[in-house]
Amino acid sequence: MSVENADSREFLVVLNDEEQYSVWFADRDLPAGWRAEGTRGSREDCLAHIDAVWTDMRPRSVREHLAAHGA
């Protein structure tokens, strides 16, 4: 598939249990361990949303461990 075709397709913002974000083709089944976050649109729109909301790149388990141990 060419980049032009991929850019005209609809995407979803997806999230895994560690609260890590990615984009996924809206017309494909989600991969195991990922769920739709609720944002849908162009690849660029989805990436812009991720950029705005994913401000702490550390996995959830690391953030929770550090919070529990006063770090």
Side-chain angles (χ1 to χ4, degrees):
M1 173 181 299
S2 73
V3 172
E4 293 142 8
N5 288 342
D7 286 345
S8 66
R9 294 178 68 180
E10 190 171 46
F11 289 81
L12 301 173
V13 174
V14 295
L15 189 65
N16 67 18
D17 289 340
E18 286 289 340
E19 297 179 354
Q20 296 168 309
Y21 289 81
S22 190
V23 294
W24 193 255
F25 289 113
D27 62 349
R28 293 192 183 168
D29 291 338
L30 295 178
W34 293 83
R35 65 188 183 280
E37 175 263 6
T39 302
R40 173 185 287 256
S42 70
R43 184 174 188 275
E44 293 79 20
D45 289 343
C46 288
L47 290 173
H49 175 74
I50 290 170
D51 190 48
V53 299
W54 195 14
T55 57
D56 188 341
M57 303 297 267
R58 297 173 300 171
R60 180 184 50 81
S61 59
V62 171
R63 294 190 318 266
E64 289 175 354
H65 175 79
L66 293 173
H69 294 88

